[in-house]
């Protein structure tokens, strides 16, 4: 498996790790029979953790497809790996800014992550002009 493949796995773990501690810390008020109860997420930190978690779920498919497409179409693996690691670093920072209630920085990081994804997605198209 490549570094980029591990980054795909890590991005799944990241969005799970975003919400799991919130549920664990609030285990007395978290009802597993009703895990989407809006009352549990009424506290600001819990609401932000849920938002970061949901955004991680939304960002994952494009990232996974972009990495797989780039790898299957013969893009320079070192570049795919570097961009995937960079995406993961940006996503980690994104989660921290989401939890820390920094909406402007969070939006900037989201945009950077999206641009990285677009770059990975289009690597097969430009692979002949990218140095290996």
């Amino acid at each position: 498996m490549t570094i980029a493949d591990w980054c795909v796995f890590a991005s799944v773990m990241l969005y799970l790790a975003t919400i799991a501690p919130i549920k664990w810390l609030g285990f007395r008020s978290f009802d597993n029979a009703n895990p989407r109860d809006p009352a549990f997420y009424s506290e600001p930190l819990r609401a932000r953790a849920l938002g970061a978690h949901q955004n991680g779920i939304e960002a994952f498919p494009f990232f996974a497809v972009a990495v797989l497409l780039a790898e299957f179409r013969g893009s320079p693996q070192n570049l795919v790996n570097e961009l995937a690691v960079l995406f993961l670093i940006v996503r980690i920072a994104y989660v921290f800014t989401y939890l820390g209630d920094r909406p402007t920085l969070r939006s900037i990081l989201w945009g950077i992550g999206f641009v990285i994804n677009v770059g990975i997605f289009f690597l097969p198209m430009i692979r002949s002009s990218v140095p290996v």
Side-chain angles (χ1 to χ4, degrees):
M1 287 183 55
T2 67
I3 292 171
D5 296 339
W6 284 108
C7 287
V8 170
F9 178 72
S11 70
V12 171
M13 294 296 101
L14 178 61
Y15 77 70
L16 292 175
T18 303
I19 198 69
I22 297 299
K23 290 181 178 182
W24 185 78
L25 290 172
F27 72 94
R28 289 196 172 122
S29 60
F30 179 72
D31 180 7
N32 199 42
N34 189 12
R36 298 185 180 177
D37 180 14
F40 179 77
Y41 300 103
S42 63
E43 286 185 19
L45 180 60
R46 290 179 183 174
R48 290 191 305 271
L50 179 62
H53 169 73
Q54 290 171 333
N55 188 269
I57 293 170
E58 294 162 1
F60 174 75
F62 183 35
F63 176 60
V65 167
V67 166
L68 293 175
L69 177 68
E71 290 182 334
F72 292 164
R73 297 291 183 200
S75 298
Q77 189 62 52
N78 62 334
L79 190 54
V80 176
N81 290 342
E82 291 167 2
L83 288 173
V85 168
L86 185 59
F87 175 79
L88 191 57
I89 291 168
V90 168
R91 287 300 301 181
I92 291 168
Y94 174 88
V95 167
F96 281 114
T97 58
Y98 213 130
L99 295 175
D101 198 19
R102 303 291 306 265
T104 303
L105 182 55
R106 181 186 82 217
S107 295
I108 291 168
L109 290 170
W110 184 92
I112 292 169
F114 185 76
V115 168
I116 293 167
N117 261 345
V118 170
I120 296 170
F121 186 85
F122 284 109
L123 272 178
M125 187 175 78
I126 60 170
R127 72 174 176 250
S128 61
S129 62
V130 174
V132 177

